[in-house]
Structure formats: structure tokens, C-alpha cells
Amino acid sequence: MTRWWTTDETHDPARTSWVASAQGHADFPIQNLPYGVFSPAGCQPRIGVAIGDMILDLAACADEGLVAQDAALSHPTLNALMALPADTRRTLRRAISALLSDPAMQAAVEPHLHAARDCTMHLPARIGDYSDFYVGIHHANNIGRQFRPDNPLLPNYKYVPIGYHGRASSIRPSGEALVRPCGQRKAPDANIPVYGPTARLDYELELGVWIGPGNDLGTPIAIHDAADHIAGFCLLNDWSARDFQAWEYQPLGPFLAKNFHSTISPWIITAEALAPFRIAQPARPGDDPEPLPYLADADDQAHGALGLSLSVYLTSAAMRAEGMAPMRLSHGPASNMYWTVQQIVTHHASNGCNLMPGDLLGTGTISAPLREGFGSLMELSAGGREPLSLPTGETRAFLADGDEVTLRAVARADGFMPIGFGECRAQILPARE
Amino acid sequence: MTRWWTTDETHDPARTSWVASAQGHADFPIQNLPYGVFSPAGCQPRIGVAIGDMILDLAACADEGLVAQDAALSHPTLNALMALPADTRRTLRRAISALLSDPAMQAAVEPHLHAARDCTMHLPARIGDYSDFYVGIHHANNIGRQFRPDNPLLPNYKYVPIGYHGRASSIRPSGEALVRPCGQRKAPDANIPVYGPTARLDYELELGVWIGPGNDLGTPIAIHDAADHIAGFCLLNDWSARDFQAWEYQPLGPFLAKNFHSTISPWIITAEALAPFRIAQPARPGDDPEPLPYLADADDQAHGALGLSLSVYLTSAAMRAEGMAPMRLSHGPASNMYWTVQQIVTHHASNGCNLMPGDLLGTGTISAPLREGFGSLMELSAGGREPLSLPTGETRAFLADGDEVTLRAVARADGFMPIGFGECRAQILPARE
């Protein structure tokens, strides 16, 4: 079994594609090769691979025998492909990389390329269950301080990768607008709550983790095997209504504050593609407890974190009207996670809970220690008390109608070609009457 | 539109079936006609209707033109049938009732009957999302007192139908054993947690609510329309590891304490079948607040609750070895719910969250005010301090390996034939090594 930090010829920074736009592409050079589900104009959804500004119709390639694994490739979702063992997925990646780099294949493959700008992206999988975690320790500290000033980080935080179940049905691909939700909120000085549009709409910067092969109900996943159950990654904006959240979240956790819409980037950045970007898990401070044995693994500690740069951009309707560039709200590394994604997977299945191919796990908001890396407005605006100024002179404590939020991620490592996640973007529509 | 408390000839207590075992059947007389998915021995799953000790192959009846709606009936799940408008489902019910009551139809229909004891029951639907609520106010009080002695019922309880997302993948039909889960627990006097089998395994007596037609993302469901989005009901045992729950549940709610296995009764008792058993919502105490307007509806108040008797039975391995009858642990009415199921549905969609046909909502544990009606061992044993005695002389503070728990429900109303839910039963296997 090839471990997750193993690189091969598909990661060679010198490899180029005969697809011209792939060279130096910020997101999708030939070293990336993410999977997605797309529709060419007027056509049915099918499985594709992003390459530069183009999308390769992988289903068509399988039909013509250009790649194997045609059964998994003939579906309008990636669930069957994700269910393949990691080694089989790696073989497919090598075949696709060869197709797109070998000039001799250009004539056969080129008819199956579509310009990405003419295609519609769909959710990459039928998401059976979606769980969200809380492993961004600086976010947990920042938010905890606002909800529980005297007790920001609860005693379980450094033992339990805290998580909860979220809503699968309201996850939408990048580009689909969300409606400002209505709900119950109670002002601190009010006697009773009111029902109406949220006044504290926020984004949350998260990574999404796509489950590959699952586990049987009742059978945990050992930490050393956890990476083999991860198919890939995406960006996840866990839109949140902070006023609903404060009123509803006790004792059973967030519910309507979070489940009205979640936006994901539509391309699955595979675990294989990210092999060169595995880094050591940051050392725990000396007085932090060791993980319990079921969560402890030397390989995971040495290679289990991801060398990713994350950033968040905002445009308001006024900024767009004036042709202004998006304003970067924050940027920081993905290493500010107290638990690795492998530890999340192992913990989730540690009671025998069965994970299924195409399930989605969110990391929780990833914030850096300092303000420039805070992953939500709740943190950037200090709970709304310190609004941000936009280039138009507008201010934002929380999001306004017409605002558009875009998340981005880039993986970088010395000696390798950087690869990006593509954008995770959505605009806010006014609440319904 | 026929409202949900409207009865018709299918509810006539004088109607009888030519299926002999249906007469006086405790669960499935001809007045019930629940839908399920079953396999006759050695055959593929298909849609059926329970009648007495038999199951009618509805897919085969549709194939032969004995009933209409064949497209929805040809699937191995009930999702498409549940998506039909309530009036269409009612028309189908009348057709099935006619088939099974009219002696002239016996010759044509009888070949499509299978003895239930020879069939395997499956989950009735592909459950997209599962949400669990907390509307049993006596349970909320009892449990709240154990977790937060000074603050059992939080200030939001009488305004917000409190709920959270649960795990869909680990829901299993009645009869499938569960494995005692492992997880983190920390004794109150311990410094650090340990990982191992739960020492406080419990059941929870709940009703499950099956969603029928869904709503579009961003579009709430008005309280007056909520009943039209409910396809039916089942029993739900929300198995819980109380020691995991106490350690993990703050701040984001229960997760691994609940998601290792949930058992449901496999028959969908339709909203149509329950029309005669609709009762008024119990009056709120005078000092309780009125529901906010989006949750208030006079029809719902007058007809929105269910006249059901619920009960829980236990057998230990020793009891079964000695041929003892199951011990009834508790019994009580389903009316001890602070919110109606319609209020749950409307609240869930009040932020625009999209419910889908085949989604499952749990009510939360339904306890009566007094001990004889407590819906979990956590309540019956006062948090483990007052173990119960079994007829063998064994005691139980929490569940032991080999224990089998069965939930039952019967709907009764003057002038109508009682109908039952069938059993919701599962046995506990030891933790894995």
C-alpha cells in the first residue's frame, strides 16, 4: 500500500500538458487533476477532470477506452469513484496524467475537452451524511470567548475532536446564491425572541474532507489506516446566522443557524494530488495532553497536516458596480488545526459509526492566531463591535445583501508545482418577504 | 385539499378483509395499511403493505394493474411514493383498502400475498437527512436536571422546538443487533478520559416522522401546510451512550454518543391511517408563552397531536433462556410533546432548510410526568443510582450485553379500530475486542 505522502511522476514539476492553459495555471496545472461533475451546455451531468481552463470529459474517455475503470466513471456522481481503494485511484490518476501530458494522445483526447466557462458545475457526490468539526483551535478560542467569556475552551477540547452532524440537503456548489435566512433571535436585553431575517449573517472558512472507501457499521477505523478512507478535499463555506446560533445552540448544538445553505468548491482535490504538500502536524504546547492511543500515530504526526494557504475575499454590490477588485479579508495557513483530518476520521468512526463514500466532513473554521488570519466576520469584527471598512467607505460588522464571499486555497511545497482548489463563491440574496 | 383529521371509508371499523389474520390484528387490521420495503425469501426488495400476518406485494399489484401509481411503486424504496401529494396517497390507500376488503378481488390479489414471517424487512426509504428533536418536555426536564441540576430547562425551550442533526447512515430496521460502542468517557473524579466500551448504554423511546413532499431550499413551510409534508410515522429507538454524551456534548451537542446505531420500526404508519387518532394539543400551562406566530395555528392546536399509547419492553439473555415474557419498563401517551410534529416540520424549514421526501425526524424521547412513563433508563434509574430489578433477580442501571429492547405503539380512539406500529426491536452485542 502506497502511503499518502508518496509522490510519483504525476507530481513532477517539469511535467507539462499539451493543454496550453494548464501551464502555470493557478489552480489546475497538470499536477492537480481534480475530479468534478459537470454539464457541457445543454448536456447531462458527467464526471470530468479540470485541466487549465478546460474540463476533460472522463466518462467519454472511459467509453472510448482511453482510461480504464469505466463502471465508476459512468455515473453522474463521484461516489463510486471515491469508493475505489486509494491505490486504484492512484493508478487512474497516472493514466489521466499520461493522457494529458503525452503529445501523442492529443488527437484522441482533445475532442473530449470542454471550455470550463461554458460548463455548469454540480455537486461532485451524493452526500449521504455531512459532519462538521471544530478543530481550528484559534477559532474555538475566539468564538468560545464570545459565547462563554469565562470558559472559552471547554475541558474536552484537547481530548475530543469535537464535531456534530450537519445538513446534507442544503449543500450547494460554488456560484449558487443563498437567501438570507429567517429565524428566531433574542436580543440580550429583550424578554422574548422574534422571528425574522438574521441580522448577523457570517461566513466560515473551512476545508471539506471527502470520504473515500467507507467502514462497516460497528467497525472502527484505525488511525494508521485513516488516510486510506479519504478521497480528497474541497473548500467549504459554513454560512452561519450568529444571532440564531446564540439563541438556539444550547443544549443540543447549532441547527437552524447553520443548515440553511453551505457552499463548497466543486472540484475534489484528491489525496493523491496533495501528497507533496503533507507536512508535520504542529507540535502541541508542552502542557497539552498527548492524544489518547486510538488517535496517536507517528506517521500521522510526521505527515498528517496539509501545507495549504487559505484566503477569504469579499465584494459588495457597490464594489462590483464600481469595478473594484475583491477585498481580501484574511489569509493564513491550514496548519492551525488541533487535529489532523486523519484523527477526525478515526474519531468519527471510533464508536463504529459507518462512514460512506461521498460523505463530507468539515474541519470547522480555520483561523490563524492573529487578526489577519481570522476565518469569520464574528472574529474579525470582534462580535460585531469593530466593523471593517470596505474600499467604498461601506462598513461591515456582518454580511449585507449583495455581498459575495469567495474562499481560495493553494498548496505549496519546495520543489513542487503549486496547485489550487478553484473558488468557493456565493452571493447573498435578500430574505424572502 | 382534505385535511389530516378527515376520515373516510378506509377507517370504518366495520370494514373487514378477506385476509383472515387481519381481523382483530393488534397492529395491522385493514384500517392500518402501512407501507414498507420487504424481500420475500431469496427475492429483491420491493414495496409492500402489511395486512394481518401477511405482506401484500404492492409492486406486483401495480405491475398487474390492480392499483395505479406504478412509477412510484416500482422502486426498492418508498421515497417516490412519499413524495406524492397527500391527496394522491389517500387515493392509493382507498384503492388498496378496496382490494383487500372486496371478496371479489381475493382471487386476483391473493397470489401477491407473502407470509410476513418468511420475509426480510428493509429500511423503508433512502434517508437523506435525519434530524432529532427534544420535544418530550418531561424527558427534557428529567435529563436536564441530571446534566444541569440548577438549570434543567433552558430559556429557549418554550420558544424553540429544539433539534439537532443526527446520523442517517447508521439507522437500521428493527431486528438488526447493535454492537456496544467504544468511545471516550471521563469519570467525574478522573483527571483524564479513557477510550473503551460504554458503561452507560441506554435506549430512548421516540416517534419518527417521515417527510413526504419536500420544500425548495430557501422556501419555508407555513404551519397550516405542515401536515401535507408528513408522509407517516414509525417508532425510533435513539440508542445513547450516556457516559460519552456527558463528556462530548459541549459545546456542539451529542455526536458519537448517539450516532453508532438507531433502530426504527420498518412500517410507515401513514398520516392518512392516523386521521381518526388526531387529538387536540394539550393546553400549555397558563404562564407558558404563546408560540411565535410562525408556529401558531388553530387547526394544529385542535387536531395536531396524536392519540397514541407508547410502551417499552426488555428481555435479558437470562430471561429469554428461562422463557420469561418481556418485562414492560414503561408506558404512556404520546401527548407529552411540547410541540406538535407539524410545529417541528415548520420550525425545521423556517430558515429555508429544504426537507426532502424520505427524510426522517425524531421527536426526541417521550416521557410521561411520572416514573411509570419514563422513556429511557437514564430517567428510570435516576442516572444509574436506582437500578431496576428484573424478574430473574438481575438488576439494570443501564443496558447489558444480550439485552433486547422493544418499543411498541398503538393508536386508539372511540368508535375506531385500534392500529399498531409493529415492533421496533434490537438486541445488544458485546463490544468488539
Side-chain angles (χ1 to χ4, degrees):
Chain A
M1 171 73 68
T2 310
R3 299 305 295 181
W4 64 83
W5 57 86
T6 308
T7 58
D8 59 28
E9 78 281 5
T10 65
H11 305 97
D12 181 353
R15 180 167 281 205
T16 57
S17 175
W18 48 260
V19 178
S21 62
Q23 266 60 263
H25 195 278
D27 288 314
F28 307 132
I30 193 167
Q31 288 77 11
N32 194 343
L33 303 177
Y35 300 114
V37 174
F38 77 106
S39 298
C43 298
Q44 291 297 309
R46 64 196 63 185
I47 292 175
V49 172
I51 178 75
D53 295 334
M54 309 296 283
I55 302 175
L56 176 65
D57 184 337
L58 202 56
C61 290
D63 280 349
E64 300 210 354
L66 294 165
V67 293
Q69 289 303 340
D70 47 309
L73 295 177
S74 65
H75 302 171
T77 66
L78 284 158
N79 296 72
L81 178 61
M82 291 193 260
L84 297 174
D87 276 358
T88 309
R89 293 198 322 259
R90 187 178 289 267
T91 302
L92 177 61
R93 169 180 168 83
R94 296 172 76 165
I96 297 167
S97 180
L99 281 187
L100 291 168
S101 60
D102 181 355
M105 299 307 299
Q106 180 169 359
V109 175
E110 203 157 30
H112 305 305
L113 285 175
H114 299 264
R117 67 172 177 277
D118 298 333
C119 297
T120 303
M121 295 304 299
H122 305 280
L123 287 181
R126 187 176 56 71
I127 302 169
D129 278 290
Y130 159 55
S131 307
D132 199 18
F133 284 81
Y134 195 54
V135 306
I137 187 167
H138 306 300
H139 171 77
N141 254 317
N142 291 339
I143 291 285
R145 203 170 292 123
Q146 295 187 26
F147 281 90
R148 297 172 302 278
D150 48 343
N151 202 17
L153 217 56
L154 295 170
N156 55 14
Y157 190 85
K158 293 181 176 178
Y159 292 98
V160 180
I162 294 287
Y164 67 108
H165 289 293
R167 183 82 194 172
S169 72
S170 55
I171 298 174
R172 289 293 185 272
S174 178
E176 187 170 327
L178 66 146
V179 175
R180 177 180 296 272
C182 291
Q184 282 194 39
R185 56 197 159 90
K186 192 181 86 64
D189 55 349
N191 286 323
I192 62 167
V194 294
Y195 173 80
T198 176
R200 293 164 77 92
L201 184 58
D202 201 355
Y203 62 86
E204 288 196 338
L205 167 63
E206 303 196 14
L207 279 181
V209 182
W210 291 102
I211 296 297
N215 61 304
D216 291 336
L217 185 64
T219 307
I221 296 172
I223 181 67
H224 195 69
D225 299 328
D228 298 330
H229 293 267
I230 296 173
F233 298 85
C234 64
L235 286 159
L236 168 63
N237 185 341
D238 179 25
W239 302 97
S240 299
R242 301 298 181 190
D243 37 8
F244 304 170
Q245 187 177 355
W247 173 234
E248 77 169 359
Y249 93 104
Q250 285 187 317
L252 300 183
F255 187 50
L256 300 193
K258 300 271 197 177
N259 69 4
F260 53 91
H261 197 118
S262 308
T263 304
I264 60 171
S265 56
W267 292 106
I268 298 185
I269 312 302
T270 64
E272 301 84 81
L274 289 169
F277 310 102
R278 293 287 180 174
I279 59 176
Q281 188 175 8
R284 293 180 167 214
D287 54 351
D288 277 7
E290 288 298 310
L292 293 188
Y294 78 100
L295 293 173
D297 179 69
D299 280 343
D300 187 46
Q301 222 177 317
H303 305 275
L306 288 167
L308 293 177
S309 297
L310 308 174
S311 47
V312 182
Y313 297 85
L314 175 74
T315 63
S316 68
M319 287 170 68
R320 290 192 302 279
E322 296 182 33
M324 291 178 174
M327 174 182 174
R328 190 172 71 178
L329 295 182
S330 71
H331 64 285
S335 56
N336 293 300
M337 292 168 49
Y338 196 77
W339 304 96
T340 66
V341 291
Q342 291 74 231
Q343 287 174 317
I344 292 173
V345 165
T346 289
H347 180 67
H348 201 324
S350 66
N351 65 346
C353 179
N354 56 326
L355 308 183
M356 308 280 284
D359 282 353
L360 183 66
L361 314 185
T363 56
T365 308
I366 302 174
S367 289
L370 300 178
R371 191 176 179 288
E372 63 180 14
F374 286 179
S376 68
L377 275 180
M378 185 73 171
E379 296 165 85
L380 283 171
S381 74
R385 293 185 306 278
E386 300 169 17
L388 282 68
S389 293
L390 308 189
T392 47
E394 299 170 284
T395 60
R396 287 290 181 278
F398 292 96
L399 295 167
D401 294 343
D403 283 357
E404 181 171 86
V405 176
T406 303
L407 313 182
R408 289 198 161 275
V410 180
R412 288 195 187 84
D414 284 347
F416 289 93
M417 187 70 72
I419 64 174
F421 276 48
E423 64 181 15
C424 176
R425 176 178 57 79
Q427 204 177 110
I428 298 161
L429 302 177
R432 290 193 201 270
E433 289 298 303
Chain B
M1 172 73 68
T2 311
R3 299 304 296 182
W4 65 84
W5 57 85
T6 308
T7 57
D8 58 29
E9 78 281 3
T10 65
H11 304 99
D12 181 353
R15 178 167 281 205
T16 58
S17 174
W18 48 261
V19 178
S21 61
Q23 266 61 262
H25 196 277
D27 288 313
F28 308 131
I30 194 167
Q31 290 77 13
N32 194 344
L33 303 178
Y35 299 114
V37 174
F38 76 106
S39 297
C43 298
Q44 292 297 309
R46 64 198 63 186
I47 292 175
V49 172
I51 178 76
D53 295 335
M54 309 296 283
I55 302 175
L56 177 65
D57 184 337
L58 203 54
C61 290
D63 280 348
E64 300 210 354
L66 293 166
V67 293
Q69 288 303 339
D70 47 310
L73 295 177
S74 65
H75 303 172
T77 66
L78 284 159
N79 295 73
L81 177 61
M82 289 193 262
L84 298 173
D87 275 358
T88 309
R89 293 199 321 260
R90 188 178 289 265
T91 302
L92 177 61
R93 170 180 167 82
R94 296 172 77 165
I96 296 166
S97 180
L99 281 187
L100 290 168
S101 60
D102 182 354
M105 299 306 298
Q106 180 169 359
V109 175
E110 203 156 30
H112 305 303
L113 285 175
H114 300 265
R117 67 172 177 277
D118 298 332
C119 298
T120 303
M121 294 304 300
H122 306 280
L123 287 182
R126 187 177 56 71
I127 302 170
D129 280 289
Y130 159 54
S131 308
D132 199 17
F133 284 80
Y134 195 55
V135 306
I137 187 167
H138 305 301
H139 171 76
N141 255 315
N142 291 338
I143 291 285
R145 203 170 291 123
Q146 295 187 26
F147 282 89
R148 296 173 302 277
D150 49 342
N151 201 17
L153 217 55
L154 295 170
N156 55 15
Y157 189 86
K158 292 182 175 177
Y159 292 98
V160 179
I162 294 288
Y164 67 108
H165 290 293
R167 183 83 194 171
S169 71
S170 56
I171 298 174
R172 289 294 184 271
S174 179
E176 187 169 327
L178 65 148
V179 176
R180 177 180 295 271
C182 291
Q184 282 194 38
R185 57 197 158 91
K186 192 180 87 63
D189 56 348
N191 286 324
I192 61 168
V194 294
Y195 173 80
T198 176
R200 292 164 76 92
L201 183 58
D202 202 355
Y203 63 86
E204 288 196 337
L205 167 63
E206 303 197 13
L207 279 181
V209 182
W210 291 101
I211 296 297
N215 61 305
D216 292 335
L217 185 63
T219 307
I221 296 171
I223 181 67
H224 195 69
D225 299 328
D228 297 330
H229 293 266
I230 297 172
F233 298 84
C234 64
L235 286 159
L236 167 63
N237 184 341
D238 179 25
W239 302 97
S240 299
R242 300 299 181 191
D243 36 9
F244 305 169
Q245 186 177 356
W247 173 234
E248 77 168 359
Y249 92 105
Q250 286 187 314
L252 300 183
F255 187 49
L256 300 192
K258 299 272 195 176
N259 68 5
F260 53 91
H261 197 118
S262 307
T263 304
I264 60 172
S265 56
W267 292 105
I268 298 185
I269 311 302
T270 63
E272 301 84 83
L274 289 168
F277 310 102
R278 293 286 180 173
I279 60 175
Q281 188 175 8
R284 293 180 166 212
D287 53 353
D288 277 7
E290 288 297 311
L292 293 188
Y294 78 99
L295 293 173
D297 179 71
D299 279 343
D300 187 47
Q301 220 177 320
H303 305 275
L306 288 167
L308 293 177
S309 297
L310 308 174
S311 47
V312 181
Y313 297 85
L314 175 75
T315 64
S316 68
M319 287 170 69
R320 289 193 301 277
E322 297 183 32
M324 291 178 174
M327 174 183 173
R328 191 173 71 180
L329 296 182
S330 71
H331 64 284
S335 54
N336 292 300
M337 292 167 50
Y338 196 76
W339 303 96
T340 66
V341 292
Q342 292 73 230
Q343 287 174 317
I344 292 174
V345 165
T346 289
H347 180 67
H348 201 323
S350 66
N351 65 345
C353 178
N354 56 326
L355 308 183
M356 307 279 285
D359 282 352
L360 182 65
L361 314 185
T363 55
T365 309
I366 302 174
S367 288
L370 299 179
R371 190 174 179 289
E372 64 179 14
F374 287 179
S376 68
L377 274 180
M378 185 74 169
E379 296 166 84
L380 283 171
S381 73
R385 293 185 306 277
E386 300 170 16
L388 281 69
S389 293
L390 308 189
T392 48
E394 300 170 283
T395 61
R396 287 290 181 277
F398 291 97
L399 295 166
D401 294 343
D403 284 357
E404 181 171 88
V405 176
T406 303
L407 314 182
R408 289 197 161 277
V410 180
R412 288 193 187 84
D414 283 347
F416 289 93
M417 187 70 71
I419 65 175
F421 276 48
E423 65 182 16
C424 176
R425 176 179 57 80
Q427 204 176 111
I428 297 161
L429 302 178
R432 290 192 200 270
E433 289 299 301

